[in-house]
Amino acid sequence: MFTTIGKSDSHAVAETRRVLRRLLAACAEAKGRPYPYGYHELDAALLEGFYGAPALRRLESLREEHALTRFNTRALGGVRP
């Protein structure tokens, strides 16, 4: 889901965030996985639910191994398991 709204439109921003949270919850309920790009309010619990702790640990290990810890820190919320 991609949206384009002006930052100054606080009502539209709030409504968009509300809808995106509902979509994220629906994705979780359907045992899906969101594309880890863009706006997501992902926390450690949601990430573990979507991907599992072993996969998140492996991702962190690969980032460290390839010196990518400073790049794309928002992907998967930048959360460490």
Side-chain angles (χ1 to χ4, degrees):
M1 174 70 76
F2 292 96
T3 61
T4 304
I5 55 174
K7 290 180 184 181
S8 62
D9 189 343
S10 60
H11 177 71
V13 170
E15 278 299 298
T16 300
R17 291 180 80 173
R18 185 185 65 77
V19 168
L20 291 174
R21 278 192 301 271
R22 288 184 64 199
L23 289 171
L24 192 59
C27 182
E29 288 175 22
K31 305 283 190 240
R33 292 181 176 171
Y35 185 73
Y37 176 80
Y39 176 79
H40 292 296
E41 291 183 342
L42 296 172
D43 59 21
L46 271 175
L47 287 170
E48 277 196 30
F50 285 132
Y51 302 101
L56 293 173
R57 282 192 298 270
R58 178 70 176 137
L59 175 62
E60 185 63 24
S61 171
L62 288 169
R63 283 181 171 170
E64 289 175 7
E65 178 183 337
H66 297 286
L68 299 174
T69 55
R70 296 184 309 167
F71 299 96
N72 201 17
T73 57
R74 283 201 46 190
L76 297 176
V79 176
R80 309 269 191 288

